[in-house]
Amino acid sequence: MYLLASDIIYFIMLRNEENIRIDDDEKGLHVDIHRGLFASKNTTAATTAATNNSNNINWYDQLLSNVRWHRVKYKSSRFQKECTTPCYTAFYGGRAEYSPYIAIPQWFQPLIDEVNSHLGDHVQFNAFLLRLYFDGNDEIAWHTDGRTFLGEKPIIASLSLGCKATFEMRRMTNVWPCVNGGNNISSSNSTGNTKVAAAAAGVDASTPIQSFTLHDGDLLVMRGNTQKHWHHRVPKEKGRGVRLNINFRYVMPGQDAERGQMTYYKYMVFGDVPIDQEPLSWTYDEIVSRKGGIMNFVQKGVKCHDSKREQQQLATRKRKESSSCDSTNTTSSSGSSNEMDIQRYLACEQSVDREVFVSLPRDIREELVSQWKSLQNQQQSTTNTISTLLSSSNSKRNESIQHFASRKKTKKNKGTIDSFFVKKR
């Protein structure tokens, strides 16, 4: 179905179910969004996309289990100060003839093959930027992905996994340089002095910002002249849970490629650490520990934003939650028992946010439930011991009362000494 452009919408959008295709030659915007292509959760989208993900791999869990993440620090020549990347990052690939170069892991290759297969044989990628947005405080400021060593019209694919996030694009009159990568200049606030600031920053304030919500498994593709005319960003969002992003690019051979690849590795892996030294890195579990422990992370208030495709499943889950924790020690088969334990855990622990919990890797979810069960068993054991002691104490007390009553009755039946002698007369 085609929607005609209006004074507000400056592109033609083709929708097929939830997929989006934008082609606007006048504004230089060419974007596709393939919905739920690699959904990692057990949602309707995941079922729909099962034929696309022929390897049936949960890539969300794969990345959290295998990637070592960096929080790169470097001295910015642009801002003349020490900077730290605003999210966790990693980088694989590029061109093997240049240094530095980190080989693409074997476990990661099937994902590359799947994306290439979906987009067509004419699309190939060899450089992969990975980002971990741990919570809503992590972000990426306004920027363009355009680089000379990526070609005149680079195809940039971006895969989202985990909690949903906002992806914004703004049109530029000049993508280089961006005076302030973190500014919020747009048509919505382009009045008075802001218009002057927008012009100075190279922002086309007459064109509205385009905002998209990217869900688990969505593949966004920017193509054509998009990088020449548009900046994009992932802003901070209160309450956002863990989100992963894999950015697919192709580094072309040429004079500028070696310098470009070195720049990628500097800002994604090494920072100011010499490339012959090992940069600091952490597993996801170590990051969670540094953040104060997993229980601090899954408390309510840090939430995954529910997508429409998830609402039906959430309704089903809520119905299951109506059974409270009165059957904590119920035993059953291994598979159903684990599911029942999870349901009881979430029903009993009201401070734990369900959407954050289900976004965690499977081993961490199982560890949390196991710890909870152990604590429940300890509490139950303590309760049983106290009950036994109280029962024993009450029993002895009752025996003493009965013994005393029996003695009193005997004494009453015997009467007094005087009555005894009176009867004998």
Side-chain angles (χ1 to χ4, degrees), residues 325-340:
C325 1
D326 55 357
S327 57
T328 302
N329 296 314
T330 302
T331 58
S332 60
S333 63
S334 176
S336 60
S337 177
N338 290 339
E339 181 62 26
M340 291 175 65

Side-chain angles (χ1 to χ4, degrees), residues 63 67 69 87-94 104 108 111-112 125-133 140 143-145 147 149-150 156-159 232 244-251 260-261 263-265 267-269:
L63 267 67
V67 178
W69 301 95
C87 62
Y88 291 91
T89 57
F91 191 92
Y92 299 137
I104 298 168
F108 190 66
L111 177 60
I112 301 171
F125 301 107
N126 62 4
F128 309 93
L129 292 72
L130 285 68
R131 293 187 176 99
L132 163 62
Y133 300 85
I140 285 294
H143 67 283
T144 174
D145 288 344
R147 301 292 187 276
F149 54 88
L150 297 181
I156 308 293
S158 178
L159 176 61
H232 57 272
L244 301 176
N245 173 252
I246 306 100
N247 195 279
F248 299 74
R249 306 180 184 186
Y250 183 78
V251 176
Q261 184 164 309
T263 301
Y264 278 155
Y265 276 98
Y267 293 112
M268 301 293 289
V269 177

Side-chain angles (χ1 to χ4, degrees), residues 1-17 19-24:
M1 176 181 178
Y2 287 93
L3 300 178
L4 296 178
S6 67
D7 293 336
I8 298 177
I9 301 175
Y10 292 89
F11 53 80
I12 297 176
M13 179 180 295
L14 174 64
R15 287 184 178 271
N16 179 12
E17 296 179 351
N19 293 338
I20 294 175
R21 183 177 182 86
I22 300 170
D23 277 305
D24 183 3

